Amino acid sequence: MIGKQGYKGLLSSLLDIYPKIAVMPMGVNPMERIAFSILGSQLIYSSVDEPTAPGQMKYIEVRHILNCMGL
């Protein structure tokens, strides 16, 4: 979902309704991908080399952040 007005509430509500869903905002601060995984999104999309979607972080950055959080 491209980050537009109200997208955080919409994606968060989907996480409450569906326990095994993956939500991922695009075109917003990449840290929001981490935030949605903490809220319950089942996946974090990242790249090995070049991003394939707006706001996508490299896997090594995601791994470092999650390690710092103890996840």
Side-chain angles (χ1 to χ4, degrees), residues 9 19 24-25 28-29 34 43 51 53-54 58 62 66-71:
M24 199 63 46
V28 297
N29 182 340
I34 301 292
L43 297 171
K58 290 189 176 185
V62 172
L66 294 176
N67 284 341
C68 288
M69 298 172 67
L71 301 173

Side-chain angles (χ1 to χ4, degrees), residues 1-42:
M1 169 178 235
I2 301 294
K4 294 187 178 186
Q5 185 69 31
Y7 76 94
K8 292 177 189 173
L10 174 63
L11 293 180
S12 296
S13 68
L14 291 174
L15 292 171
D16 284 338
I17 297 168
Y18 304 102
K20 295 183 179 182
I21 191 172
V23 298
M24 199 63 46
M26 291 176 31
V28 297
N29 182 340
M31 292 302 289
E32 291 185 23
R33 292 172 175 250
I34 301 292
F36 277 104
S37 70
I38 293 168
L39 291 172
S41 182
Q42 297 294 304

